[in-house]
Amino acid sequence: MANVSLINLKKQFGASIAVSDFSLEITDGELVAFLGPSGCGKTTTLRMIAGFIEPTAGRIVIGDNDVTNTPVHRRNTGMVFQRYALFPHMTVAHNVSFGLEMHKIAPVERDKRIREALDMVRMTELKDRYPRQLSGGQQQRVAIARALAIEPKVFLLDEPLSNLDAKLRLEVREEIRTLQQRLGLTTIFVTHDQEEALAISDRMAIMHDGIVQQVGSPQTVYEHPANLFVADFLGKMNFFSGSPCADSQFLTQEELTLNVTKLKPDTTMVGVRPERTVLSSLPEADNNIAVTVQNVSYLGAHIHVTLKGPGVQRLTCQIPNTQAGRNDAVLHVGASLYLGFSAEDCAIFNERSH
Ligand code: ATP
């Protein structure tokens, strides 16, 4: 296994910059997720690390080796793609064997590695089947076995769960994480699914327009978003724009005065996560905004409530299902309530838009 260093990595396609000055140190055995909206440069970065795309500038170091100009097959990376990319005319075992043959692994060692890799992903019994005789989840397991059989220094996964249904996604996601931790594999996992990235990673790199916005543990990035883009992309947030008007007090453009613990002189935007808010018929919190219920969506584990606040504000509140019963009497469209939240739970930003 190995550390991976991305040093001022850049990729330009003609006039458009797909990845701009990406620097990141990934430690041995760590799983880092690249997360961002479509077109933000995740796949391009991953493909530069694998060697499929040549960087316009910058360097890639794996372990002690600068691999920036090293061909794909000498980088010792194992890659798993969204569309499995199995050879349709080869059996499961042959698909796994193929990479080993390319790496010129001797037959005895090859057989051992095929057995171990298929065993790891619980596909031993299906080793003689062809890809068309497998489900999507099984095909992706074979692709994982194929990537791991070469004993890569770095494991690269590009949206590996996108083609699977919701339940299977969860299952294969957990299997990948368990395997990665057991083998201590340095891993980069590209996804546009925030829940997936939060669940699977040690750290995540949030990207937007080819630029890394924030790198940190899931908890850090979610609880302390570095900017408005991250706050808005990862989870939901209610935003209030305005300026400080007194010590720990923020005057919004709708002329609401909010109590905000961590307020700074240059704060231009205050945010609060919907799950950090409560709805009540009396003003009971540090901050209480008079709202009217616009919509109530039952989402199983929680209830999502859309509210109209003063001015043009559209606000949202998320109530855990376990607490929803208490609000039944008042939680209907048109109800007038207070949206409450604590001064502590307010996030601050010094931008107006992203
Ligand atoms: P997605 O989640 O949709 O796969 P992504 O974050 O992985 O998106 P990339 O595939 O890395 O994004 O693309 C980043 C940008 O680079 C996009 O604007 C894309 O159109 C552009 N791009 C990617 N490959 C090429 C190419 N071969 N030629 C020109 N532009 C490209």
Side-chain angles (χ1 to χ4, degrees):
M1 305 313 131
N3 292 358
V4 177
S5 306
L6 309 181
I7 305 156
N8 305 114
L9 212 50
K10 178 180 174 182
K11 182 64 195 180
Q12 194 159 348
F13 293 107
S16 87
I17 297 174
V19 177
S20 167
D21 201 24
F22 190 154
S23 292
L24 181 64
E25 287 287 328
I26 301 169
T27 55
D28 195 13
E30 189 179 29
L31 190 156
V32 174
F34 291 172
L35 174 72
S38 182
C40 71
K42 311 176 290 287
T43 298
T44 303
T45 309
L46 196 75
R47 288 178 164 267
M48 285 194 280
I49 300 167
F52 297 121
I53 294 178
E54 194 185 333
T56 307
R59 291 192 300 124
I60 300 161
V61 179
I62 297 180
D64 296 327
N65 305 318
D66 186 324
V67 298
T68 317
N69 299 311
T70 307
V72 178
H73 61 281
R74 296 231 189 87
R75 291 201 182 191
N76 213 347
T77 57
M79 183 125 173
V80 173
F81 302 89
Q82 181 178 339
R83 292 187 199 285
Y84 326 135
L86 298 178
F87 297 112
H89 58 289
M90 292 183 190
T91 63
V92 164
H94 198 178
N95 262 284
V96 177
S97 172
F98 186 78
L100 298 170
E101 290 165 32
M102 291 293 102
H103 281 79
K104 302 201 171 16
I105 307 290
V108 176
E109 172 67 12
R110 203 159 67 208
D111 289 346
K112 175 173 157 279
R113 292 221 208 154
I114 296 168
R115 266 199 315 278
E116 285 173 354
L118 289 179
D119 199 35
M120 267 193 281
V121 296
R122 298 182 289 111
M123 286 296 292
T124 306
E125 283 184 15
L126 305 182
K127 69 180 176 22
D128 296 322
R129 285 207 191 168
Y130 288 89
R132 65 173 182 280
Q133 299 169 315
L134 301 174
S135 70
Q138 289 165 339
Q139 289 188 55
Q140 197 54 303
R141 285 196 181 93
V142 178
I144 292 168
R146 183 178 58 181
L148 295 182
I150 58 165
E151 299 185 348
K153 281 190 172 158
V154 185
F155 190 28
L156 305 172
L157 302 110
D158 190 2
E159 305 255 11
L161 309 175
S162 299
N163 281 351
L164 309 180
D165 68 43
K167 202 159 180 294
L168 205 55
R169 282 178 85 117
L170 214 73
E171 222 175 277
V172 180
R173 175 175 98 194
E174 282 172 12
E175 281 174 18
I176 291 174
R177 180 58 161 162
T178 307
L179 211 54
Q180 178 267 335
Q181 287 181 317
R182 179 153 65 83
L183 302 174
L185 270 173
T186 309
T187 300
I188 302 171
F189 188 105
V190 161
T191 179
H192 62 264
D193 182 322
Q194 44 173 291
E195 190 197 306
E196 204 163 280
L198 286 166
I200 205 169
S201 59
D202 293 306
R203 281 190 303 157
M204 48 210 285
I206 314 281
M207 299 179 69
H208 178 43
D209 280 347
I211 298 170
V212 177
Q213 306 288 314
Q214 187 172 8
V215 180
S217 69
Q219 195 171 358
T220 302
V221 178
Y222 189 83
E223 303 287 344
H224 307 287
N227 57 34
L228 283 177
F229 174 81
V230 176
D232 204 22
F233 182 74
L234 198 61
K236 295 192 172 69
M237 195 173 264
N238 293 302
F239 291 111
F240 302 91
S241 104
S243 54
C245 58
D247 197 24
S248 303
Q249 289 203 319
F250 184 81
L251 183 65
T252 74
Q253 63 185 16
E254 301 85 8
E255 306 212 325
L256 297 167
T257 302
L258 300 180
N259 296 300
V260 180
T261 308
K262 301 157 222 152
L263 200 62
K264 290 190 180 154
D266 64 351
T267 300
T268 51
M269 193 81 90
V270 165
V272 63
R273 296 269 188 214
E275 70 272 21
R276 296 277 179 182
T277 64
V278 290
L279 284 172
S280 58
S281 41
L282 293 170
E284 293 166 344
D286 294 346
N287 293 295
N288 304 281
I289 301 176
V291 289
T292 312
V293 175
Q294 299 287 293
N295 186 50
V296 181
S297 301
Y298 178 79
L299 298 177
H302 59 262
I303 317 290
H304 185 78
V305 188
T306 312
L307 307 147
K308 184 158 173 40
V312 291
Q313 276 276 10
R314 178 186 179 275
L315 301 166
T316 55
C317 172
Q318 187 172 302
I319 306 167
N321 189 333
T322 47
Q323 288 175 23
R326 292 184 214 162
N327 291 294
D328 274 357
V330 289
L331 207 55
H332 56 83
V333 172
S336 292
L337 296 167
Y338 287 98
L339 180 75
F341 51 92
S342 79
E344 268 293 315
D345 285 335
C346 292
I348 55 162
F349 304 93
N350 60 4
E351 315 151 82
R352 289 216 179 268
S353 63
H354 58 78

Short mmCIF file of all heavy atoms in Angstrom, two decimals, residues 117-163:
data_model
loop_
_atom_site.label_atom_id
_atom_site.label_comp_id
_atom_site.label_asym_id
_atom_site.label_seq_id
_atom_site.Cartn_x
_atom_site.Cartn_y
_atom_site.Cartn_z
N ALA A 117 -9.25 -13.63 -4.50
CA ALA A 117 -10.02 -12.45 -4.87
C ALA A 117 -11.51 -12.79 -4.97
O ALA A 117 -12.37 -12.04 -4.49
CB ALA A 117 -9.52 -11.88 -6.20
N LEU A 118 -11.84 -13.95 -5.57
CA LEU A 118 -13.24 -14.32 -5.70
C LEU A 118 -13.84 -14.65 -4.34
O LEU A 118 -15.01 -14.38 -4.08
CB LEU A 118 -13.39 -15.50 -6.67
CG LEU A 118 -13.14 -15.16 -8.14
CD1 LEU A 118 -13.29 -16.39 -9.02
CD2 LEU A 118 -14.11 -14.06 -8.62
N ASP A 119 -13.01 -15.21 -3.49
CA ASP A 119 -13.43 -15.52 -2.14
C ASP A 119 -13.78 -14.23 -1.38
O ASP A 119 -14.80 -14.14 -0.70
CB ASP A 119 -12.28 -16.26 -1.44
CG ASP A 119 -12.78 -17.02 -0.25
OD1 ASP A 119 -13.91 -17.51 -0.32
OD2 ASP A 119 -12.04 -17.08 0.77
N MET A 120 -12.95 -13.22 -1.56
CA MET A 120 -13.14 -11.94 -0.88
C MET A 120 -14.49 -11.33 -1.20
O MET A 120 -15.12 -10.70 -0.36
CB MET A 120 -12.05 -10.95 -1.32
CG MET A 120 -10.85 -10.93 -0.42
SD MET A 120 -9.81 -9.52 -0.78
CE MET A 120 -8.91 -10.01 -2.22
N VAL A 121 -14.91 -11.48 -2.45
CA VAL A 121 -16.18 -10.85 -2.86
C VAL A 121 -17.32 -11.88 -2.93
O VAL A 121 -18.37 -11.62 -3.51
CB VAL A 121 -16.04 -10.10 -4.22
CG1 VAL A 121 -15.06 -8.96 -4.10
CG2 VAL A 121 -15.63 -11.05 -5.33
N ARG A 122 -17.11 -13.05 -2.37
CA ARG A 122 -18.10 -14.12 -2.28
C ARG A 122 -18.63 -14.53 -3.67
O ARG A 122 -19.82 -14.65 -3.88
CB ARG A 122 -19.26 -13.69 -1.37
CG ARG A 122 -18.81 -13.42 0.06
CD ARG A 122 -19.93 -13.03 0.98
NE ARG A 122 -20.43 -11.70 0.71
CZ ARG A 122 -21.63 -11.43 0.19
NH1 ARG A 122 -22.46 -12.39 -0.11
NH2 ARG A 122 -21.99 -10.20 -0.02
N MET A 123 -17.72 -14.70 -4.61
CA MET A 123 -18.13 -15.09 -5.96
C MET A 123 -17.53 -16.43 -6.39
O MET A 123 -17.62 -16.80 -7.57
CB MET A 123 -17.73 -14.00 -6.96
CG MET A 123 -18.58 -12.75 -6.91
SD MET A 123 -20.30 -13.04 -7.35
CE MET A 123 -20.13 -13.44 -9.08
N THR A 124 -16.93 -17.17 -5.47
CA THR A 124 -16.26 -18.42 -5.82
C THR A 124 -17.19 -19.40 -6.52
O THR A 124 -16.83 -19.99 -7.54
CB THR A 124 -15.67 -19.06 -4.54
OG1 THR A 124 -14.86 -18.08 -3.93
CG2 THR A 124 -14.85 -20.30 -4.85
N GLU A 125 -18.41 -19.52 -6.00
CA GLU A 125 -19.33 -20.51 -6.57
C GLU A 125 -19.76 -20.18 -7.99
O GLU A 125 -20.19 -21.06 -8.73
CB GLU A 125 -20.56 -20.63 -5.67
CG GLU A 125 -20.27 -21.44 -4.44
CD GLU A 125 -21.49 -21.65 -3.59
OE1 GLU A 125 -22.61 -21.42 -4.08
OE2 GLU A 125 -21.30 -22.04 -2.43
N LEU A 126 -19.66 -18.90 -8.36
CA LEU A 126 -20.12 -18.50 -9.69
C LEU A 126 -18.95 -18.28 -10.65
O LEU A 126 -19.10 -17.64 -11.68
CB LEU A 126 -20.96 -17.22 -9.58
CG LEU A 126 -22.15 -17.28 -8.63
CD1 LEU A 126 -22.93 -15.97 -8.64
CD2 LEU A 126 -23.10 -18.42 -9.02
N LYS A 127 -17.81 -18.86 -10.34
CA LYS A 127 -16.59 -18.54 -11.10
C LYS A 127 -16.64 -18.98 -12.57
O LYS A 127 -15.92 -18.44 -13.40
CB LYS A 127 -15.34 -19.12 -10.41
CG LYS A 127 -15.23 -20.63 -10.41
CD LYS A 127 -13.96 -21.00 -9.70
CE LYS A 127 -13.71 -22.48 -9.53
NZ LYS A 127 -14.36 -23.43 -10.39
N ASP A 128 -17.51 -19.94 -12.90
CA ASP A 128 -17.56 -20.41 -14.28
C ASP A 128 -18.67 -19.75 -15.10
O ASP A 128 -18.87 -20.07 -16.27
CB ASP A 128 -17.74 -21.94 -14.31
CG ASP A 128 -16.52 -22.62 -13.69
OD1 ASP A 128 -15.40 -22.11 -13.92
OD2 ASP A 128 -16.70 -23.61 -12.94
N ARG A 129 -19.39 -18.82 -14.49
CA ARG A 129 -20.46 -18.13 -15.24
C ARG A 129 -19.89 -17.01 -16.11
O ARG A 129 -18.81 -16.50 -15.84
CB ARG A 129 -21.46 -17.52 -14.25
CG ARG A 129 -22.34 -18.53 -13.62
CD ARG A 129 -23.65 -17.88 -13.23
NE ARG A 129 -24.41 -18.78 -12.40
CZ ARG A 129 -25.48 -18.40 -11.72
NH1 ARG A 129 -25.87 -17.14 -11.77
NH2 ARG A 129 -26.15 -19.27 -11.00
N TYR A 130 -20.68 -16.62 -17.09
CA TYR A 130 -20.33 -15.46 -17.93
C TYR A 130 -21.04 -14.22 -17.37
O TYR A 130 -22.09 -14.36 -16.72
CB TYR A 130 -20.75 -15.72 -19.38
CG TYR A 130 -19.85 -16.75 -20.03
CD1 TYR A 130 -20.14 -18.11 -19.95
CD2 TYR A 130 -18.69 -16.34 -20.69
CE1 TYR A 130 -19.29 -19.05 -20.51
CE2 TYR A 130 -17.83 -17.28 -21.26
CZ TYR A 130 -18.14 -18.63 -21.17
OH TYR A 130 -17.30 -19.55 -21.71
N PRO A 131 -20.52 -13.02 -17.65
CA PRO A 131 -21.14 -11.81 -17.11
C PRO A 131 -22.65 -11.72 -17.35
O PRO A 131 -23.40 -11.29 -16.46
CB PRO A 131 -20.40 -10.69 -17.83
CG PRO A 131 -19.03 -11.26 -18.06
CD PRO A 131 -19.26 -12.72 -18.35
N ARG A 132 -23.13 -12.16 -18.54
CA ARG A 132 -24.57 -12.05 -18.83
C ARG A 132 -25.41 -12.93 -17.90
O ARG A 132 -26.64 -12.76 -17.82
CB ARG A 132 -24.86 -12.38 -20.30
CG ARG A 132 -24.57 -13.81 -20.67
CD ARG A 132 -25.01 -14.18 -22.08
NE ARG A 132 -24.75 -15.59 -22.34
CZ ARG A 132 -23.54 -16.07 -22.67
NH1 ARG A 132 -22.52 -15.24 -22.80
NH2 ARG A 132 -23.36 -17.37 -22.85
N GLN A 133 -24.75 -13.87 -17.24
CA GLN A 133 -25.49 -14.77 -16.32
C GLN A 133 -25.44 -14.26 -14.88
O GLN A 133 -25.77 -14.96 -13.94
CB GLN A 133 -24.88 -16.17 -16.38
CG GLN A 133 -24.96 -16.79 -17.77
CD GLN A 133 -24.14 -18.06 -17.89
OE1 GLN A 133 -22.99 -18.11 -17.46
NE2 GLN A 133 -24.73 -19.08 -18.50
N LEU A 134 -24.98 -13.00 -14.72
CA LEU A 134 -24.84 -12.43 -13.37
C LEU A 134 -25.72 -11.20 -13.20
O LEU A 134 -26.00 -10.49 -14.17
CB LEU A 134 -23.39 -12.00 -13.12
CG LEU A 134 -22.30 -13.07 -13.24
CD1 LEU A 134 -20.93 -12.41 -13.12
CD2 LEU A 134 -22.49 -14.15 -12.18
N SER A 135 -26.11 -10.91 -11.95
CA SER A 135 -26.84 -9.67 -11.67
C SER A 135 -25.84 -8.52 -11.66
O SER A 135 -24.61 -8.74 -11.65
CB SER A 135 -27.50 -9.77 -10.29
OG SER A 135 -26.50 -9.73 -9.29
N GLY A 136 -26.35 -7.29 -11.63
CA GLY A 136 -25.47 -6.12 -11.61
C GLY A 136 -24.53 -6.13 -10.41
O GLY A 136 -23.33 -5.86 -10.54
N GLY A 137 -25.08 -6.47 -9.25
CA GLY A 137 -24.26 -6.51 -8.03
C GLY A 137 -23.15 -7.54 -8.14
O GLY A 137 -22.01 -7.30 -7.72
N GLN A 138 -23.50 -8.70 -8.73
CA GLN A 138 -22.49 -9.76 -8.89
C GLN A 138 -21.42 -9.33 -9.88
O GLN A 138 -20.23 -9.57 -9.67
CB GLN A 138 -23.17 -11.05 -9.35
CG GLN A 138 -24.02 -11.70 -8.26
CD GLN A 138 -24.97 -12.75 -8.78
OE1 GLN A 138 -25.30 -12.77 -9.97
NE2 GLN A 138 -25.42 -13.63 -7.90
N GLN A 139 -21.85 -8.67 -10.96
CA GLN A 139 -20.86 -8.20 -11.95
C GLN A 139 -19.90 -7.20 -11.31
O GLN A 139 -18.69 -7.23 -11.56
CB GLN A 139 -21.56 -7.55 -13.15
CG GLN A 139 -22.29 -8.57 -14.00
CD GLN A 139 -22.82 -7.93 -15.28
OE1 GLN A 139 -22.08 -7.34 -16.03
NE2 GLN A 139 -24.11 -8.07 -15.50
N GLN A 140 -20.47 -6.32 -10.48
CA GLN A 140 -19.59 -5.33 -9.86
C GLN A 140 -18.63 -5.99 -8.86
O GLN A 140 -17.49 -5.58 -8.72
CB GLN A 140 -20.42 -4.21 -9.20
CG GLN A 140 -19.65 -2.94 -8.89
CD GLN A 140 -18.91 -2.33 -10.08
OE1 GLN A 140 -18.07 -3.00 -10.71
NE2 GLN A 140 -19.19 -1.09 -10.40
N ARG A 141 -19.09 -7.06 -8.22
CA ARG A 141 -18.19 -7.80 -7.31
C ARG A 141 -17.02 -8.41 -8.09
O ARG A 141 -15.89 -8.43 -7.62
CB ARG A 141 -18.94 -8.91 -6.59
CG ARG A 141 -19.84 -8.40 -5.49
CD ARG A 141 -20.26 -9.53 -4.57
NE ARG A 141 -21.14 -9.04 -3.55
CZ ARG A 141 -22.47 -9.06 -3.64
NH1 ARG A 141 -23.07 -9.55 -4.71
NH2 ARG A 141 -23.21 -8.58 -2.67
N VAL A 142 -17.32 -8.91 -9.29
CA VAL A 142 -16.26 -9.49 -10.13
C VAL A 142 -15.26 -8.38 -10.51
O VAL A 142 -14.04 -8.58 -10.47
CB VAL A 142 -16.83 -10.16 -11.40
CG1 VAL A 142 -15.70 -10.71 -12.27
CG2 VAL A 142 -17.81 -11.26 -11.03
N ALA A 143 -15.81 -7.22 -10.87
CA ALA A 143 -14.93 -6.10 -11.24
C ALA A 143 -14.03 -5.72 -10.06
O ALA A 143 -12.85 -5.40 -10.24
CB ALA A 143 -15.77 -4.91 -11.68
N ILE A 144 -14.58 -5.78 -8.86
CA ILE A 144 -13.79 -5.46 -7.65
C ILE A 144 -12.71 -6.53 -7.46
O ILE A 144 -11.54 -6.22 -7.21
CB ILE A 144 -14.71 -5.35 -6.41
CG1 ILE A 144 -15.61 -4.12 -6.55
CG2 ILE A 144 -13.89 -5.30 -5.11
CD1 ILE A 144 -16.75 -4.05 -5.55
N ALA A 145 -13.11 -7.80 -7.63
CA ALA A 145 -12.14 -8.90 -7.49
C ALA A 145 -11.02 -8.75 -8.51
O ALA A 145 -9.84 -8.93 -8.19
CB ALA A 145 -12.84 -10.25 -7.68
N ARG A 146 -11.38 -8.40 -9.72
CA ARG A 146 -10.38 -8.23 -10.79
C ARG A 146 -9.38 -7.13 -10.43
O ARG A 146 -8.18 -7.27 -10.64
CB ARG A 146 -11.10 -7.91 -12.10
CG ARG A 146 -10.17 -7.79 -13.28
CD ARG A 146 -10.91 -7.51 -14.56
NE ARG A 146 -11.70 -6.28 -14.47
CZ ARG A 146 -12.47 -5.82 -15.46
NH1 ARG A 146 -12.57 -6.50 -16.57
NH2 ARG A 146 -13.14 -4.71 -15.31
N ALA A 147 -9.92 -6.03 -9.88
CA ALA A 147 -9.03 -4.91 -9.52
C ALA A 147 -8.13 -5.29 -8.35
O ALA A 147 -6.95 -4.91 -8.31
CB ALA A 147 -9.86 -3.69 -9.18
N LEU A 148 -8.68 -6.05 -7.39
CA LEU A 148 -7.90 -6.37 -6.19
C LEU A 148 -6.89 -7.50 -6.41
O LEU A 148 -5.88 -7.57 -5.72
CB LEU A 148 -8.83 -6.75 -5.03
CG LEU A 148 -9.74 -5.62 -4.53
CD1 LEU A 148 -10.58 -6.09 -3.36
CD2 LEU A 148 -8.93 -4.39 -4.15
N ALA A 149 -7.17 -8.37 -7.39
CA ALA A 149 -6.29 -9.53 -7.63
C ALA A 149 -4.87 -9.11 -8.00
O ALA A 149 -3.91 -9.82 -7.70
CB ALA A 149 -6.88 -10.41 -8.73
N ILE A 150 -4.74 -7.95 -8.62
CA ILE A 150 -3.39 -7.52 -9.01
C ILE A 150 -2.63 -6.92 -7.83
O ILE A 150 -1.52 -6.44 -7.97
CB ILE A 150 -3.41 -6.53 -10.21
CG1 ILE A 150 -4.25 -5.30 -9.86
CG2 ILE A 150 -3.92 -7.19 -11.48
CD1 ILE A 150 -4.02 -4.13 -10.83
N GLU A 151 -3.28 -6.93 -6.65
CA GLU A 151 -2.70 -6.38 -5.42
C GLU A 151 -2.20 -4.96 -5.66
O GLU A 151 -1.01 -4.67 -5.55
CB GLU A 151 -1.58 -7.30 -4.89
CG GLU A 151 -2.14 -8.67 -4.55
CD GLU A 151 -1.14 -9.62 -3.91
OE1 GLU A 151 0.07 -9.30 -3.93
OE2 GLU A 151 -1.58 -10.66 -3.40
N PRO A 152 -3.14 -4.07 -5.98
CA PRO A 152 -2.74 -2.71 -6.31
C PRO A 152 -2.28 -1.93 -5.09
O PRO A 152 -2.67 -2.25 -3.96
CB PRO A 152 -4.04 -2.10 -6.85
CG PRO A 152 -5.12 -2.84 -6.14
CD PRO A 152 -4.61 -4.24 -5.97
N LYS A 153 -1.44 -0.94 -5.34
CA LYS A 153 -1.03 -0.05 -4.25
C LYS A 153 -2.16 0.93 -3.95
O LYS A 153 -2.31 1.40 -2.84
CB LYS A 153 0.21 0.74 -4.66
CG LYS A 153 1.49 -0.05 -4.56
CD LYS A 153 2.65 0.87 -4.75
CE LYS A 153 3.95 0.14 -4.45
NZ LYS A 153 5.07 0.81 -5.10
N VAL A 154 -2.90 1.25 -4.99
CA VAL A 154 -4.00 2.21 -4.84
C VAL A 154 -5.23 1.66 -5.54
O VAL A 154 -5.15 1.15 -6.66
CB VAL A 154 -3.62 3.57 -5.46
CG1 VAL A 154 -4.72 4.59 -5.20
CG2 VAL A 154 -2.30 4.07 -4.92
N PHE A 155 -6.37 1.76 -4.85
CA PHE A 155 -7.63 1.23 -5.36
C PHE A 155 -8.47 2.43 -5.79
O PHE A 155 -8.73 3.33 -4.98
CB PHE A 155 -8.28 0.46 -4.20
CG PHE A 155 -9.48 -0.36 -4.54
CD1 PHE A 155 -9.66 -0.91 -5.79
CD2 PHE A 155 -10.43 -0.64 -3.55
CE1 PHE A 155 -10.76 -1.70 -6.08
CE2 PHE A 155 -11.52 -1.43 -3.82
CZ PHE A 155 -11.69 -1.96 -5.09
N LEU A 156 -8.88 2.45 -7.06
CA LEU A 156 -9.62 3.60 -7.60
C LEU A 156 -11.01 3.15 -8.03
O LEU A 156 -11.13 2.19 -8.80
CB LEU A 156 -8.87 4.18 -8.80
CG LEU A 156 -7.40 4.57 -8.56
CD1 LEU A 156 -6.73 4.94 -9.88
CD2 LEU A 156 -7.31 5.73 -7.57
N LEU A 157 -12.03 3.84 -7.56
CA LEU A 157 -13.40 3.44 -7.91
C LEU A 157 -14.15 4.65 -8.47
O LEU A 157 -14.21 5.69 -7.81
CB LEU A 157 -14.14 2.90 -6.68
CG LEU A 157 -13.49 1.70 -6.01
CD1 LEU A 157 -12.91 2.09 -4.66
CD2 LEU A 157 -14.48 0.57 -5.82
N ASP A 158 -14.69 4.49 -9.67
CA ASP A 158 -15.40 5.59 -10.32
C ASP A 158 -16.90 5.31 -10.34
O ASP A 158 -17.38 4.54 -11.16
CB ASP A 158 -14.87 5.75 -11.76
CG ASP A 158 -15.38 7.02 -12.40
OD1 ASP A 158 -16.10 7.78 -11.72
OD2 ASP A 158 -15.07 7.25 -13.58
N GLU A 159 -17.62 5.91 -9.42
CA GLU A 159 -19.07 5.72 -9.31
C GLU A 159 -19.43 4.24 -9.37
O GLU A 159 -20.29 3.84 -10.19
CB GLU A 159 -19.80 6.47 -10.44
CG GLU A 159 -19.45 7.94 -10.51
CD GLU A 159 -20.54 8.85 -9.98
OE1 GLU A 159 -21.49 8.34 -9.36
OE2 GLU A 159 -20.42 10.06 -10.15
N PRO A 160 -18.83 3.40 -8.56
CA PRO A 160 -19.01 1.95 -8.73
C PRO A 160 -20.41 1.45 -8.39
O PRO A 160 -20.75 0.33 -8.73
CB PRO A 160 -17.99 1.37 -7.74
CG PRO A 160 -17.86 2.40 -6.67
CD PRO A 160 -18.00 3.71 -7.39
N LEU A 161 -21.21 2.28 -7.73
CA LEU A 161 -22.51 1.78 -7.29
C LEU A 161 -23.68 2.37 -8.08
O LEU A 161 -24.83 2.03 -7.84
CB LEU A 161 -22.70 2.09 -5.79
CG LEU A 161 -21.54 1.65 -4.89
CD1 LEU A 161 -21.75 2.12 -3.46
CD2 LEU A 161 -21.38 0.14 -4.92
N SER A 162 -23.37 3.23 -9.03
CA SER A 162 -24.43 3.98 -9.73
C SER A 162 -25.42 3.11 -10.48
O SER A 162 -26.56 3.51 -10.67
CB SER A 162 -23.81 4.95 -10.73
OG SER A 162 -23.02 5.85 -10.04
N ASN A 163 -24.98 1.94 -10.94
CA ASN A 163 -25.90 1.10 -11.72
C ASN A 163 -26.68 0.11 -10.87
O ASN A 163 -27.38 -0.73 -11.41
CB ASN A 163 -25.11 0.32 -12.79
CG ASN A 163 -24.80 1.19 -13.98
OD1 ASN A 163 -25.31 2.31 -14.07
ND2 ASN A 163 -23.95 0.72 -14.87
#
